[in-house]
Amino acid sequence: MEPEDHLTLDEARRLIAYLQSELERQRALNADMRRAVADMARAFQESLALSHQAAQDGDLERVRQIVIENRRAWQDWLRQIVEAAGRKP
């Protein structure tokens, strides 16, 4: 794009509209990311509490199951993050 001082009024308006649209898109993505991180944190804390209680109860099989479930969940979240990061705007 040309330097701003060479833009026509119509070009400047189109640029402003584009930049405003891009800003809104970025805000929406940021909000989605904040929600996803909060969900991940809650899930992690819940599973940590469950595994701690299972360990206190001496239920090592339950601790093992929770660890396996956590690994699957984290792998799924990571896959989703990588896919989202690879998408074109």
Side-chain angles (χ1 to χ4, degrees):
M1 201 154 261
E2 299 175 3
E4 289 77 17
D5 43 332
H6 290 66
L7 295 177
T8 67
L9 183 57
D10 192 45
E11 290 170 332
R13 286 183 178 146
R14 282 196 307 270
L15 179 59
I16 289 169
Y18 166 78
L19 292 174
Q20 287 173 333
S21 172
E22 187 62 18
L23 177 61
E24 289 306 313
R25 188 182 73 78
Q26 289 295 325
R27 284 180 177 162
L29 288 172
N30 288 343
D32 288 345
M33 188 61 74
R34 283 192 300 271
R35 277 191 295 275
V37 168
D39 288 346
M40 286 172 47
R42 275 191 295 278
F44 177 71
Q45 287 186 340
E46 289 171 7
S47 67
L48 185 61
L50 288 172
S51 62
H52 180 266
Q53 186 60 51
Q56 290 283 335
D57 296 342
D59 189 352
L60 295 181
E61 179 56 29
R62 181 66 185 134
V63 172
R64 188 181 75 73
Q65 290 171 346
I66 292 168
V67 168
I68 291 168
E69 291 167 10
N70 278 342
R71 183 177 57 222
R72 288 181 186 144
W74 284 99
Q75 287 172 341
D76 188 48
W77 282 324
L78 179 59
R79 181 190 51 75
Q80 291 175 33
I81 290 168
V82 169
E83 286 175 2
R87 280 188 228 129
K88 299 292 181 203

